[in-house]
Amino acid sequence: MLVQLMMVLVAVVILGMVVVSLALRIPRLDVAKKTSREDKLSAIDTWVSRLHTSGKFNGVVLLAKTDEILLCESYGRSSADESQELTASSAFNLASVSKQFTAMGVVILRSQSKLSYDDKLSAYVPELSFYDEITIRHLLNHTSGLTDYMTLVGKAKRGTGVVTPSELWALYQDVQPTLEFEPGSRFKYSNAGYVLLAEVIERVSGQSFEQFMSQNIFDPLDMAHTQVFNLLSGSEPENRVFGFKRRYWIFGGPKVAADLNYFDGVAGDGGIYSSAEDLLRWHNALRDHALVPPEQSAEAFLPARLNDGSTTRYGFGWFVKAPHSVDHAGGWQGFSSYIHRHMERDELVVVLDNSSNALRVNSIGTRFNSIGLNLTRVIAAL
C-alpha cells in the first residue's frame, strides 16, 4: 500500500512539473533570414501579440539600434481592473533593473570626488562599523558577503509594517549577522548591498535618494516618467503601472492585484519606476557619456575582480555577458523587467511586464538578444 501511495505521489509531482513546464514555455520565434526588414519586425510583433493573447505576456517591448526605434509596442493593460491601456510612457516598477541607476548615483558622487569606491562602508554608515572590511566597491559588485535583508526581516518576524531604512539598519545592529564570506572573495547577489548604496548616496549628498536621483539623473536626461517610488513616497509616478497576477498563477482565474508590499519602504535594490521610452533615453545617455566622462563610467561595464585575481560576471549594476554586452533582469511582486545593451553595436532590448510573468520575461528578452538584436537572424538586414 505504501509503495502504491509513493508511486501515486511521484506521478502527481511529475504531472505537475509537466503542466507547469507547458504553461511557462515560450514558443519559438522563427523568422527566415531573407525576409524583408518590415516582415521581420512584423513577425516579432505578431509573436509577442500571441504571447499576450495566451496570457504569457502583458507589457511593453522596445527594440532600438543607433538612434532608430525598430519596434516599440504595448500589449495589454496597466492594472488588474483593465481601466487603462499600456503605452511606451507607462511607468513600470523596474525591480532589480533599478540597481544600474543606484550604481550610477555612486559613480556620479565618485566623479565629484565625494567618495571613493575603496572607501569603507563604515565611513558613511558607522552604525555598521562591525563590518569594517566592506567597501563601496564590494557593495557595487555584490561581493560583500552581506546577509540578504529580506531573510533577516523574515527571521526577525518584523513584517507587520512597512520596513524603513532606519529600522533595517537597527535590525542589522541588533542581530549583527555574520558575513557569509570574506568581502571580495566571492560573488553573491545581495539586495542589502544596494539598499546600503542608496543610504550612502543620501548621507554623502545630504539629499533623499529620490531627490538625488531626480536631480542628477532623471531630470537632466528628460526621463519624465522615471522616479524613485515606494510606499513611503509622497507622490506616485505619472502613468504608474500596477502589478497583478492570475488568482491561480499560471493556471488562470480572475486578475488580482500583486503590487507593493511591506518591504517597499526601502529602495536602491529596486523601487525605481520607468518607461520603455525613458529607458531608451537612459541607453542613449550612457552611450553618449551624458552624465560622467567615459573613463569614469567604464568600470560599470567591466567584470569585478576578486581577491584571488579571478573575475565575476557583474560590474556596477550590470551583468557582463561578453565584451560590450551587458544586461539585467528584475522581478518583484507582479513586475518583471529585462534590459540588454550591446554597446559596440548600439543596440537595446527592453521588456517590461506587470502580470507576474517573471519566469517568461527573461526568456522573451534573451530570445531577442540571441536571435533578435544580434542581427544574425531576425534583423540581419539592418
Side-chain angles (χ1 to χ4, degrees), residues 29 55 71 73 124 152 159 194 210 232 240 248 258 270 274 303 308:
L29 173 57
L71 179 73
E73 294 292 340
Y124 303 102
L152 198 62
Y194 270 75
E210 180 177 354
L232 302 179
R240 177 187 171 187
Y248 306 113
S274 189
D308 63 4

Side-chain angles (χ1 to χ4, degrees), residues 221 280-292 341:
L221 300 183
L280 177 58
R281 292 186 177 93
W282 169 239
H283 165 74
N284 290 339
L286 293 175
R287 176 199 64 195
D288 299 337
H289 312 293
L291 295 173
V292 294
R341 301 180 64 231

Side-chain angles (χ1 to χ4, degrees), residues 136-156:
I136 302 299
R137 187 185 301 276
H138 292 143
L139 299 178
L140 288 164
N141 290 149
H142 293 298
T143 57
S144 68
L146 276 170
T147 296
D148 187 85
Y149 72 90
M150 294 184 187
T151 301
L152 198 62
V153 171
K155 288 182 177 179

Side-chain angles (χ1 to χ4, degrees), residues 11-67:
V12 169
V13 170
I14 293 174
L15 178 60
M17 292 174 65
V18 170
V19 171
V20 170
S21 177
L22 290 173
L24 293 176
R25 189 191 328 185
I26 299 295
R28 288 177 58 85
L29 173 57
D30 292 321
V31 181
K33 292 182 181 180
K34 295 184 179 180
T35 56
S36 69
R37 164 182 171 168
E38 290 74 18
D39 286 346
K40 290 171 182 176
L41 294 173
S42 177
I44 294 173
D45 182 28
T46 299
W47 181 72
V48 180
S49 294
R50 287 175 180 165
L51 293 177
H52 170 64
T53 301
S54 63
K56 294 183 177 181
F57 182 70
N58 188 92
V60 179
V61 171
L62 183 145
L63 312 179
K65 177 179 174 66
T66 55
D67 290 322

